[in-house]
Amino acid sequence: MSETGRQYWRSLQERANSPDVERWLQNEFPEGATELDAPSRRSLLKLMGASLGLAGLTACSRPVEKILPLSKGVEDYIPGNPMYYASVISLGGTATGLVVETHDGRPTKIEGNPGHPASGGACSAFAQASVLGLYDPDRSKTVLRNGSPASWDDFARFAAGHFDPARIGAGERLRFLSLRVNSPSLEAVRAHALARFPKARWIEYEPISEDEILAGAAIAFAKPVRPHYHFDKADVVFSLDADFLGLDSNNIAYIRDFSKRRRISSPKDTMNRLYMAESRLSITGAMADHRLRMKTGAIRDLALEVARNLNLDVPAASGPNAKWAAALARDLARSRGRSLVLAGPRQPAAVHALAHWINHALANEGATVTYTETGAAPELPALKQLAQELRSGQVETLVILGGNPAYDAPADLRFDAVMKNAPVTIHLGLDPNETAGLAQWHLPEAHYLESWGDARALDGTVSIQQPMIRPLYGGKTAAEVLALIGGYKDRNGYDIVRNYWLPRWSAGDAEKAWRRALYDGVIPDTAYAPVEPALDAKRVAAALAGTAPPASEGLELTFYPSAATWDGRFADNGWLQEAPDPITKLTWDNAALVSPATARRLGLETEDIVAIAAGGAEIEMPVWVQPGQADDTIAVALGYGRRRAGRVGRNVGHDSYLLRTSAAPYVTGAAINRTGRKYKLANTQHHFVMEGRPLVREATLEEYRKDPDFVDKIAETPKLFSIFGQHDYSKGYQWGMAIDLNACVGCNACVLACQAENNVPIVGKDQVTRGREMHWLRLDRYFTGPEDDPQTVTQPVACQQCENAPCETVCPVAATSHSPEGLNDMVYNRCVGTRYCSNNCPYKVRRFNFLDWHKGLQEVEKMVFNPDVTVRMRGVMEKCTYCVQRIQEKKIQASVEGHRELRDGEIVPACQQTCPADAIVFGNINDPNSRVSQLKKQTRRYEMLAQLNVKPRTSYLAKVRNPNPELA
Amino acid sequence: MNCHAQVKKDSPLLQPIRDAVATGKPVPWVHIHIMPGYVYFNHAAHVNSGVSCVTCHGRIDQMVRVRQAKPLNMAFCVDCHRNPAPNIRPVQFVTQLGWKPDGDPAAIGRELVARNHLQPPTNCSGCHR
Amino acid sequence: MADLAITRELNPPLITGHPSYADVTAKVSGITEGRMPRVWYYAFGVTVTITGVLIAMLSYLALTGIGVWGNNQPVGWAFEITDFVFWIGIGHAGTLISAILFLLRQRWRTSINRAAEAMTLFAVACAGLFPLFHVGRPWRAYWLFPVPNDYLGVWQNFRSPLMWDVFAVSTYATVSALFWYTGLIPDLATLRDRAVTPARKYIFGILSLGWRGSARHWRHYEKAYLLLAGLSTPLVLSVHTIVSFDFAVSLIPGWHSTIFPPYFVAGAIFSGFAMVVTLMVLAREVFGLKNLVTMKHLENMNKVILATSLMVGFSYLIEFFTAWYSGNMYERYAFYNRMFGPFWWVGWLMVFCNVLAPQVFWSKRMRTNVPVMFVVSILVNIGMWMERFAIVAVSLSRDYLPSSWGNYRPTYVDILTLTGSFGLFFTLFLLFVRFLPMISMTEVKGMMAADAPHQVGEGL
């Protein structure tokens, strides 16, 4: 026995070291959009060898040599143990604090920073997936001069000459264009540069703009302020097209606050009530107790109607929703100081101003909405002017620090064309995108995980951005490049940030404060002080009078940021591309969303290709018939159809920016025509009706109060008995989970967190159309009620860890079997792949590696893998394990610390850790005081398909809606 | 170089170490005890439970050239996980490869297993994740 | 005279045309000794080519992954398991004819049992391919067998119906092979004795295990044959019963059903007999065996087909009734889906081919009409494949959670693999008729004696 054993490992090692197997291993390792490279034939034997060899290789930690040569020890570093650093990610000019897990010097997992106001320990799907972006092999790797490789030295030499004040003077013809800046240190460098070139101008542009929000506040208060909402204090919320739980900024913090008022533990508890008016069904709308679907343009009238019912002196507006508005107004009035009205970025400034006015009238100011001063101003006008200057050749030098205006600027500015008019264009960017292709100089930008910086959250709180790894491709940050151009005293990010902050602390403990800031991930007392601006009702009324009532005729086209690619910048991120859209469940595509009624009227079906004409342009894209979409409206996601991107993102979906004009960046009239052609869309869910099955159970708050046990009435479970003796689970740790359907908003963060934590591969569009997506945790979306105006429920479903697991009995090789702690273990290396377990799983949560999803993976792509989880080869089954690697880690830690008991909440699965709504709770169900046990005591608790007597360890807490009785 | 700054500081055997410190290039150690990637072995858990080095690595101290002394296959691991007592010793002795207790080692092991209620996992996810 | 005429009337002879023993020997052995008719070579060329396709497809599968098939989530099993059950079913008629009819002293079986047994073997061989290759890591398929593995220290999971399958099918294959071979021995000896070329002498010499036809040999032979017949009889029931457990013990609506064992066995015999008819009709045309495989044989088999068709139809009814009567919404939907879901045509095709088509056999004219029975037997084979597909794949495509409902579309690899398995089956069968006596001379002769009592003017 030992003989065979020894030889077994020896040969294994030999395999691992032989170069050709090395090559197989690279194919054998996971991750990356697989179907991109043509499949190569491989001999069975080599494959087997590789699978064994792979074993050998993962054990040794190559990255150590690359990054932290252990020949010089690193403090607190134990090889193989992860280390955690605080950092921060910025998106759309606001920051979210993070804690980044690194293994042997490579970041592998992003978590929220509990101490950060915008995170509270949670983070968004974008943040979760950003770690994959770091290892994108298609990132910019080198400086490009007119498309041919150059070096940073070349650029430095060029810059020294070109930006020499003697030559460029005051910079009359110098323009800077950047994404929204929320970095104090960058602002300092910018100030220095602008001081050096006083006549130069700096333009900030984000395609997902906040212009109307800022303009609206400016109207209402006659000065630039920014509203901050406090949903945890609001009993009644009226959202005018504001997707504050979804794609609007700061959504993580808002989800957390909002869900605090949705989570209930007994019929005595109260809930907030959400009214929503919107054209496209957003996840905020899906959570609403009352949702009114209407054209985006018609929302103004509804707002006026509500305002009039609140006796505000506003222009008359006739809406078909008088009853609705009246009831809402009464509801708002009933909860003065505890209500909140907010408008979304797609609404005109006047509507924002009106929202402020209503809040003012309801005495919500300072309670549910506070204000801070802001330097931010509407961006589009400045960008327009820049385009004008470029067109007329007034600009000699255009420095683009991040962003991709050639792709995402409004189409009527023809930015890609006018950009060429500037003799010198310099572009700093993460990837060689459309803009990079047009710039003379393209400079590789450093990813936020590999560079120093700092960033402000929406409320002003500043966090230091720490690098986790040396820049993979020698990229630099905007601050560094600007320092080079503007001759700033410090040149590298570390000095720039550190020397910006140190003087701000008293000399004595500056060093300590700096270390503290790095450790905590937030710099104390940096949040903006709230102000109490005086609302000027006359200005608001005037502004409202100025706005025209919307065109009621014709189709209305609205643009919204993609939940996958945002504004297009994440197009190269396979995890996000394959993450199903929270509402449509579409992957790898955007589509023209139309309501069933409109589809019938226009004779459209899902997957018909239509030509959409708007803004003087026309594009073709497929139709998706979406229940809940307002009639006579089309909603199209931005951020697709990238022409110049990496292998993952190139030509995925259709570019809707072509229809977007500076005059109508969000809402415009449109014409739609059938082309008669079809287009295959890849969506992960095909059937949205529950077929009367008690899968998601819900009731209204009233019903719940009348009958706290309503869940059992919805489907009474028969008396269950088994002819087999039942295993005794009464001792030791018994892991279980409770998912509160009332709190879950369906934001996708958990899905991405699971993917990152468990090395879940992506399979590409073609394979998704074949029904082979690999997500261990999925969000099931069901619609109830009328097809055109349904109610929406979301249900996170992962392995339910059945005590009587049907998958276990049928596996012929015992590759899946039960642990004494009630886990349904899955042993990838034992699995032969009969797929019987998956067939016999009533929840269909098991995922099979139909092909080698990791083919043709490059070294750098392997670095994203979590070394604590086996990378699965083709031919084996995989599934959720409650993050067993985290369970084991903590159990070992506890035993090392003197064989102590585990504390409740010590073990947190990836999905729970990142859930901003705190809807997922994991723990020991044998401990009556654990949070999970407490939740499972609630009368709302039920198990899905309990009648099968599989005894799932995951329980659901039924959804409770809180409709207004007047509207019932 | 901590200790070896003093001890055996000229030993030719330590030349590679000195080079590593000098050049910053890691020593190219040969990987002998290789676990497949799907096996998760945690030294801390074993050492702190009183499993000695010798249990899995043999008498390293007596090897001129390190070789794999134990099969380290699944049966080998599972045998011990099912019945740890014979391989459990007081933690302070885990690095004494030649440790000979006065009295029956198994009895000492049983006593320690009982006291620290050691329950090595015998289910799959104990080692496979 | 008269009474003889009456006996003939009541009990028509199974062998017509009064062949002598020598005629039978010459006729049957002649086929294996002489040159094959040209059509055989054409047929063989075709089937070997198709077998080549099978090999190509299986290699592609093993090297690339199950993804080359249409299988997906939730349809983890589709063509491959359908084909497996289909072929296992085909096998059944062989054992039934040779063993059970033998025990029941059904004399009419004699002319067809040899071919039927061969068919069983080849069908089981085809069936065996699918479970082996449908696993995600075929090079680990040996883990399905309880082979010693000291270094792992783990064992199979004997609660899994797939393990039961492994044993059921391998036992079935072994016993059928033995039974078939034992029956062959006297005929092999005949071939040996007639052999002219040393090669044939040598080969058949070895194969016939030194058979000399002594009374003792005959006694042992009869005993062994009887025992093996007794041994294989329960297998006819057990194998498909256990195959049906793959589905019956699961909890998927449309799978989880207690009537599966008898239902599957009936279906197996049904499809098996259909296949025998298909083959024998061809064989007797091509090799001119009309006197040995008489209309009475075919008619009897058609009667069995009719009977089993009724059983299968009854099972369908019961299935739907149970689903409705259970009041279980998941069960009800599964069967609604079978007939009216996206795969409605599969459901209706199965009903038409398996329940309606065979009803023509109520009429004697039809069940004695060769073209008709040929068409019906083909229909039945199609229908039974559809039945298995409806059970395996259609049930999976829509089970408990509507969110996870999926569709299924076979790839060219699925279809070519199924086609290829037919290629393998017919290749083996053609080789069999080429090299071995496809009719048991021994038994036929035994029957002729019985058929022809010593009467005046009735000499042999």
Side-chain angles (χ1 to χ4, degrees):
Chain A
M1 156 180 170
S2 62
E3 263 318 304
T4 52
R6 193 175 299 114
Q7 281 161 6
Y8 177 62
W9 297 125
R10 281 259 177 82
S11 62
L12 192 167
Q13 177 168 24
E14 283 148 24
R15 283 198 164 289
N17 294 348
S18 80
D20 64 329
V21 171
E22 292 273 357
R23 211 163 48 252
W24 293 123
L25 291 185
Q26 305 191 353
N27 295 346
E28 211 48 36
F29 268 68
E31 214 16 79
T34 37
E35 293 314 279
L36 297 170
D37 309 322
S40 69
R41 302 276 158 279
R42 280 177 290 139
S43 87
L44 202 96
L45 273 174
K46 277 182 171 172
L47 203 145
M48 298 162 63
S51 66
L52 297 172
L54 162 143
L57 268 198
T58 35
C60 56
S61 45
R62 263 164 302 133
V64 175
E65 280 131 43
K66 281 211 193 99
I67 301 144
L68 302 169
L70 289 182
S71 53
K72 299 189 180 47
V74 177
E75 62 175 326
D76 323 331
Y77 173 66
I78 303 165
N81 285 13
M83 300 184 78
Y84 300 86
Y85 300 95
S87 188
V88 64
I89 185 176
S90 291
L91 179 62
T94 72
T96 310
L98 305 176
V99 175
V100 182
E101 176 179 0
T102 71
H103 283 274
D104 303 332
R106 51 194 175 91
T108 58
K109 181 75 175 69
I110 307 288
E111 305 293 359
N113 178 351
H116 191 277
S119 160
C123 69
S124 68
F126 294 125
Q128 285 292 348
S130 62
V131 66
L132 184 65
L134 169 66
Y135 301 115
D136 178 0
D138 298 331
R139 270 176 62 191
S140 296
K141 296 192 174 66
T142 162
V143 175
L144 292 176
R145 176 174 208 165
N146 301 321
S148 49
S151 73
W152 278 105
D153 294 345
D154 299 337
F155 177 72
R157 248 177 272 109
F158 163 82
H162 187 80
F163 293 97
D164 177 353
R167 197 200 70 77
I168 204 164
E172 295 84 351
R173 306 182 63 206
L174 170 62
R175 296 289 178 270
F176 295 93
L177 174 59
S178 76
L179 292 171
R180 207 168 294 145
V181 175
N182 64 323
S183 155
S185 59
L186 176 55
E187 281 162 8
V189 183
R190 168 167 70 179
H192 175 273
L194 291 179
R196 188 172 204 196
F197 314 114
K199 295 249 169 52
R201 278 187 44 255
W202 185 292
I203 299 93
E204 293 180 12
Y205 172 68
E206 292 265 357
I208 311 304
S209 69
E210 297 181 325
D211 289 6
E212 303 299 328
I213 299 175
L214 297 166
I219 293 172
F221 302 105
K223 62 179 184 176
V225 294
R226 174 190 293 280
H228 300 271
Y229 306 112
H230 306 280
F231 295 94
D232 49 344
K233 299 200 182 75
D235 295 347
V236 178
V237 178
F238 177 31
S239 164
L240 297 151
D241 194 25
D243 186 10
F244 60 90
L245 299 175
L247 297 163
D248 294 356
S249 61
N250 209 34
N251 66 323
I252 295 301
Y254 287 161
I255 291 174
R256 200 176 62 250
D257 291 351
F258 182 81
S259 61
K260 278 194 192 120
R261 301 300 309 277
R262 301 297 287 187
R263 224 174 292 112
I264 51 178
S265 53
S266 82
K268 284 184 277 325
D269 294 358
T270 59
M271 273 171 67
N272 66 7
R273 178 176 296 143
L274 172 60
Y275 295 82
M276 180 77 172
E278 62 180 354
S279 62
R280 171 189 71 99
L281 175 58
S282 66
I283 68 172
T284 311
M287 284 296 287
D289 300 296
H290 291 288
R291 175 173 180 273
L292 213 51
R293 48 185 200 113
M294 51 170 56
K295 286 184 170 178
T296 311
I299 290 174
R300 164 187 175 277
D301 287 4
L302 180 69
L304 289 173
E305 190 106 30
V306 174
R308 261 219 326 292
N309 278 287
L310 290 164
N311 310 320
L312 300 188
D313 173 22
V314 295
S318 62
N321 308 300
K323 178 173 179 293
W324 201 87
L328 165 58
R330 277 192 296 278
D331 211 358
L332 287 169
R334 263 197 300 276
S335 40
R336 281 177 59 86
R338 288 173 290 103
S339 58
L340 174 58
V341 179
L342 71 162
R346 276 168 297 277
Q347 288 301 312
V351 174
H352 285 268
L354 178 56
H356 296 306
W357 189 6
I358 298 178
N359 283 326
H360 177 76
L362 291 169
N364 293 332
E365 284 170 336
T368 59
V369 56
T370 55
Y371 299 92
T372 60
E373 277 168 350
T374 174
E379 294 161 346
L380 214 43
L383 185 72
K384 263 191 205 157
Q385 194 193 341
L386 173 63
Q388 176 51 43
E389 291 170 346
L390 284 164
R391 195 176 295 103
S392 56
Q394 299 167 33
V395 180
E396 181 225 23
T397 310
L398 176 62
V399 182
I400 303 172
L401 298 171
N404 189 6
Y407 162 75
D408 58 26
D412 58 323
L413 303 186
R414 310 283 299 105
F415 200 91
D416 48 352
V418 297
M419 200 180 133
K420 300 205 198 75
N421 297 358
V424 179
T425 47
I426 300 164
H427 174 257
L428 172 75
L430 273 173
D431 52 329
N433 57 23
E434 289 80 351
T435 311
L438 299 171
Q440 273 162 353
W441 285 94
H442 171 64
L443 313 173
E445 185 177 11
H447 192 271
Y448 83 93
L449 287 170
E450 53 183 25
S451 58
W452 284 94
D454 52 10
R456 242 193 229 105
L458 200 67
D459 75 342
T461 308
V462 180
S463 306
I464 303 293
Q465 168 190 316
Q466 293 193 78
M468 306 294 142
I469 184 172
R470 199 182 301 141
L472 292 167
Y473 307 119
K476 291 190 184 304
T477 62
E480 287 169 326
V481 172
L482 188 58
L484 183 70
I485 289 174
Y488 191 67
K489 58 184 193 306
D490 301 309
R491 287 305 165 85
N492 72 57
Y494 179 70
D495 299 335
I496 294 172
V497 178
R498 186 178 151 86
N499 295 340
Y500 171 83
W501 284 102
L502 284 188
R504 279 163 175 70
W505 294 304
S506 58
D509 49 22
E511 187 57 36
K512 207 153 133 285
W514 167 255
R515 293 187 157 283
R516 191 84 218 152
L518 293 184
Y519 180 84
D520 293 345
V522 290
I523 302 179
D525 317 324
T526 44
Y528 301 124
V531 294
E532 286 168 4
L535 181 124
D536 184 339
K538 274 189 232 56
R539 288 168 56 92
V540 180
L544 286 165
T547 57
S552 54
E553 299 310 306
L555 287 172
E556 177 195 83
L557 173 64
T558 57
F559 303 96
Y560 64 99
S562 158
T565 67
W566 185 241
D567 57 8
R569 76 183 66 181
F570 298 122
D572 273 336
N573 191 309
W575 287 356
L576 286 169
Q577 286 280 17
E578 196 155 304
D581 178 278
I583 297 292
T584 64
K585 294 294 160 193
L586 275 177
T587 65
W588 294 98
D589 256 312
N590 60 343
L593 311 186
V594 297
S595 73
T598 307
R600 275 191 300 276
R601 188 169 64 75
L602 301 172
L604 297 174
E605 282 180 357
T606 291
E607 295 192 336
D608 283 352
I609 297 182
V610 291
I612 304 174
E618 180 175 274
I619 63 166
E620 288 189 352
M621 71 187 318
V623 164
W624 179 264
V625 178
Q626 178 58 53
Q629 179 77 17
D631 295 337
D632 300 324
T633 64
I634 313 166
V636 176
L638 298 163
Y640 286 88
R642 289 278 307 274
R643 286 167 293 283
R644 214 163 171 287
R647 288 167 306 155
V648 174
R650 193 179 304 127
N651 298 327
V652 170
H654 300 78
D655 182 4
S656 46
Y657 280 109
L658 299 172
L659 302 180
R660 201 180 188 213
T661 62
S662 52
Y666 279 119
V667 188
T668 173
I672 192 167
N673 294 305
R674 307 230 305 282
T675 64
R677 281 175 283 121
K678 284 273 184 187
Y679 179 92
K680 185 77 188 150
L681 288 169
N683 62 316
T684 58
Q685 190 176 335
H686 310 279
H687 203 85
F688 296 92
V689 184
M690 249 184 294
E691 299 289 340
R693 303 177 178 188
L695 306 174
V696 176
R697 306 186 186 179
E698 61 175 309
T700 66
L701 191 56
E702 280 179 68
E703 291 163 345
Y704 174 50
R705 284 178 175 153
K706 272 202 214 73
D707 178 6
D709 302 315
F710 70 93
V711 285
D712 305 325
K713 310 291 199 309
I714 290 175
E716 88 285 4
T717 317
K719 187 94 189 63
L720 297 173
F721 73 97
S722 170
I723 60 172
F724 302 106
Q726 297 293 287
H727 191 284
D728 173 22
Y729 289 113
S730 62
K731 286 174 208 53
Y733 302 117
Q734 294 302 333
W735 307 120
M737 186 178 273
I739 299 177
D740 189 341
L741 297 177
N742 217 26
C744 174
V745 302
C747 68
N748 255 2
C750 52
V751 176
L752 272 291
C754 175
Q755 184 149 31
E757 170 70 17
N758 294 300
N759 301 335
V760 172
I762 58 168
V763 300
K765 177 181 174 179
D766 173 55
Q767 293 296 317
V768 173
T769 60
R770 295 166 192 268
R772 294 170 181 172
E773 66 275 2
M774 296 298 287
H775 296 123
W776 287 6
L777 171 58
R778 61 171 197 264
L779 298 178
D780 286 353
R781 147 99 49 243
Y782 295 112
F783 294 121
T784 59
E787 180 194 30
D788 276 302
D789 190 10
Q791 282 196 321
T792 316
V793 288
T794 306
Q795 182 178 38
V797 180
C799 176
Q800 311 278 307
Q801 312 292 342
C802 312
E803 286 183 5
N804 298 337
C807 50
E808 291 171 2
T809 48
V810 298
C811 175
V813 294
T816 182
S817 58
H818 228 63
S819 88
E821 300 176 347
L823 290 181
N824 172 226
D825 289 350
M826 180 70 220
V827 197
Y828 310 118
N829 45 304
R830 175 65 172 171
C831 176
V832 297
T834 66
R835 304 184 294 292
Y836 199 173
C837 53
S838 167
N839 293 344
N840 207 27
C841 172
Y843 307 97
K844 289 291 174 280
V845 290
R846 292 179 156 261
R847 296 290 177 258
F848 184 67
N849 289 270
F850 282 96
L851 293 167
D852 171 13
W853 305 130
H854 310 313
K855 195 170 290 152
L857 215 60
Q858 302 182 24
E859 274 304 319
V860 64
E861 292 175 283
K862 301 175 198 166
M863 289 169 68
V864 78
F865 288 127
N866 177 0
D868 297 336
V869 178
T870 309
V871 164
R872 284 80 57 186
M873 75 181 297
R874 65 117 157 155
V876 305
M877 191 63 70
E878 58 184 68
K879 68 164 193 74
C880 159
T881 60
Y882 277 170
C883 284
V884 67
Q885 67 278 9
R886 294 187 174 202
I887 298 176
Q888 297 294 358
E889 180 197 350
K890 296 297 182 189
K891 280 180 66 185
I892 289 170
Q893 189 184 334
S895 76
V896 169
E897 294 167 5
H899 310 283
R900 65 169 172 84
E901 287 287 306
L902 284 161
R903 293 178 294 271
D904 183 37
E906 195 172 355
I907 302 173
V908 183
C911 51
Q912 173 181 358
Q913 182 162 8
T914 206
C915 178
D918 197 13
I920 304 175
V921 175
F922 167 89
N924 176 8
I925 58 175
N926 260 7
D927 167 6
N929 304 320
S930 65
R931 270 185 74 207
V932 65
S933 302
Q934 292 301 324
L935 287 173
K936 284 179 180 242
K937 285 200 193 87
Q938 283 199 33
T939 58
R940 288 189 297 140
R941 164 248 180 100
Y942 71 95
E943 279 77 35
M944 210 181 0
L945 303 177
Q947 76 277 11
L948 297 175
N949 198 21
V950 292
K951 297 193 180 166
R953 279 284 174 95
T954 299
S955 303
Y956 292 92
L957 301 183
K959 188 173 179 62
V960 174
R961 294 186 194 269
N962 183 17
N964 181 344
E966 294 183 50
L967 290 170
Chain B
M1 283 311 287
N2 315 339
C3 310
H4 286 296
Q6 322 307 341
V7 186
K8 291 206 175 189
K9 56 181 193 296
D10 307 323
S11 159
L13 292 175
L14 296 175
Q15 191 52 41
I17 312 258
R18 289 193 291 273
D19 296 347
V21 176
T23 61
K25 283 208 184 61
V27 185
W29 295 107
V30 179
H31 199 175
I32 301 290
H33 297 89
I34 302 176
M35 287 279 114
Y38 48 74
V39 175
Y40 289 86
F41 177 87
N42 182 299
H43 275 98
H46 290 82
V47 171
N48 288 286
S49 306
V51 179
S52 166
C53 318
V54 72
T55 308
C56 305
H57 298 288
R59 292 305 300 268
I60 292 277
D61 55 338
Q62 296 171 352
M63 293 181 193
V64 178
R65 184 155 198 222
V66 174
R67 58 188 163 69
Q68 184 174 321
K70 300 296 175 77
L72 299 186
N73 57 34
M74 180 159 149
F76 174 83
C77 301
V78 170
D79 287 347
C80 184
H81 272 230
R82 293 205 175 115
N83 175 25
N87 297 309
I88 298 295
R89 60 177 68 177
V91 175
Q92 64 269 32
F93 299 126
V94 289
T95 52
Q96 295 184 17
L97 305 193
W99 181 67
K100 288 263 174 300
D102 34 8
D104 170 16
I108 296 173
R110 276 196 297 280
E111 196 270 330
L112 286 165
V113 169
R115 190 195 314 152
N116 301 331
H117 17 78
L118 303 177
Q119 297 157 318
T122 50
N123 62 298
C124 310
S125 61
C127 311
H128 304 299
R129 294 156 206 174
Chain C
M1 269 316 166
D3 58 346
L4 176 67
I6 291 160
T7 16
R8 285 291 161 84
E9 205 44 53
L10 299 177
N11 188 1
L14 287 156
I15 313 298
T16 54
H18 311 300
S20 72
Y21 289 168
D23 297 341
V24 173
T25 312
K27 180 77 202 159
V28 177
S29 323
I31 296 172
T32 71
E33 290 157 348
R35 298 193 80 260
M36 286 276 112
R38 184 173 275 98
V39 56
W40 184 92
Y41 289 95
Y42 295 148
F44 191 68
V46 173
T47 58
V48 165
T49 319
I50 300 177
T51 312
V53 173
L54 173 68
I55 294 163
M57 287 304 129
L58 291 182
S59 324
Y60 179 37
L61 174 80
L63 293 176
T64 316
I66 301 299
V68 303
W69 285 347
N71 302 39
N72 60 20
Q73 307 283 353
V75 186
W77 287 351
F79 262 49
E80 80 277 34
I81 296 301
T82 306
D83 301 345
F84 164 69
V85 181
F86 173 77
W87 279 118
I88 287 284
I90 297 294
H92 275 56
T95 333
L96 186 95
I97 291 170
S98 45
I100 296 187
L101 297 189
F102 175 76
L103 295 176
L104 299 176
R105 298 282 181 268
Q106 292 296 313
R107 291 159 61 241
W108 60 273
R109 73 181 259 287
T110 48
S111 307
I112 50 172
N113 69 328
R114 172 71 45 77
E117 286 167 36
M119 191 189 76
T120 300
L121 282 181
F122 305 151
V124 172
C126 291
L129 281 179
F130 289 97
L132 285 187
F133 277 86
H134 98 293
V135 297
R137 303 195 292 171
W139 55 94
R140 290 263 179 256
Y142 72 91
W143 278 353
L144 290 166
F145 300 89
V147 288
N149 55 359
D150 294 352
Y151 65 95
L152 280 184
V154 291
W155 206 238
Q156 279 72 17
N157 172 14
F158 292 99
R159 294 182 303 171
S160 167
L162 279 187
M163 278 312 290
W164 311 343
D165 264 3
V166 169
F167 295 111
V169 173
S170 47
T171 317
Y172 186 50
T174 322
V175 174
S176 310
L178 284 174
F179 190 44
W180 179 66
Y181 182 67
T182 317
L184 263 170
I185 292 173
D187 288 4
L188 289 171
T190 315
L191 291 179
R192 175 199 58 197
D193 302 342
R194 290 170 50 97
V196 282
T197 67
R200 285 181 69 87
K201 264 199 181 325
Y202 187 74
I203 295 167
F204 287 116
I206 291 183
L207 290 178
S208 53
L209 305 177
W211 175 271
R212 291 190 316 284
S214 72
R216 170 184 296 248
H217 281 180
W218 279 111
R219 219 173 84 244
H220 290 321
Y221 166 80
E222 298 286 358
K223 274 233 162 34
Y225 198 74
L226 185 65
L227 282 176
L228 283 166
L231 213 53
S232 19
T233 307
L235 288 179
V236 177
L237 305 179
S238 72
V239 177
H240 230 55
T241 302
I242 289 188
V243 168
S244 79
F245 285 168
D246 286 348
F247 311 102
V249 304
S250 85
L251 47 57
I252 299 305
W255 281 20
H256 178 75
S257 162
T258 44
I259 66 160
F260 266 14
Y263 169 9
F264 268 51
V265 172
I269 295 162
F270 182 48
S271 60
F273 267 86
M275 184 58 91
V276 182
V277 170
T278 318
L279 293 176
M280 291 319 281
V281 164
L282 289 174
R284 71 198 283 274
E285 292 301 324
V286 175
F287 299 104
L289 298 172
K290 294 200 170 56
N291 289 339
L292 298 179
V293 183
T294 61
M295 187 50 72
K296 178 155 170 54
H297 294 111
L298 299 175
E299 187 184 353
N300 284 356
M301 289 196 284
N302 292 338
K303 286 178 181 166
V304 176
I305 289 178
L306 177 57
T308 45
S309 152
L310 291 173
M311 298 183 202
V312 169
F314 180 69
S315 309
Y316 294 169
L317 282 181
I318 292 296
E319 252 190 324
F320 281 86
F321 171 79
T322 324
W324 167 77
Y325 190 68
S326 70
N328 176 320
M329 68 174 89
Y330 306 97
E331 282 292 327
R332 283 182 176 182
Y333 186 86
F335 287 90
Y336 169 85
N337 181 51
R338 186 171 292 179
M339 303 315 278
F340 304 105
F343 286 103
W344 57 271
W345 54 275
V346 174
W348 291 108
L349 203 53
M350 121 188 155
V351 169
F352 170 75
C353 297
N354 299 346
V355 184
L356 303 182
Q359 300 308 317
V360 301
F361 286 154
W362 285 108
S363 119
K364 187 175 178 69
R365 244 183 62 254
M366 288 301 171
R367 67 172 178 265
T368 52
N369 173 324
V370 172
V372 169
M373 70 178 77
F374 185 71
V375 171
V376 170
S377 68
I378 297 285
L379 282 182
V380 169
N381 282 314
I382 295 172
M384 284 309 291
W385 191 91
M386 289 297 165
E387 176 200 299
R388 276 64 174 258
F389 183 82
I391 293 172
V392 176
V394 179
S395 308
L396 282 174
S397 69
R398 294 190 158 192
D399 65 348
Y400 288 99
L401 302 193
S403 69
S404 306
W405 288 358
N407 208 336
Y408 171 80
R409 185 179 282 95
T411 66
Y412 75 95
V413 184
D414 283 301
I415 293 158
L416 289 184
T417 312
L418 172 57
T419 323
S421 65
F422 277 94
L424 176 61
F425 177 79
F426 285 110
T427 307
L428 293 170
F429 198 81
L430 285 169
L431 288 171
F432 158 71
V433 299
R434 169 71 183 80
F435 293 107
L436 294 171
M438 83 177 97
I439 290 181
S440 170
M441 299 181 268
T442 331
E443 300 195 19
V444 168
K445 290 173 187 170
M447 290 238 326
M448 286 157 57
D451 264 349
H454 299 289
Q455 307 271 358
V456 184
E458 285 290 328
L460 288 160

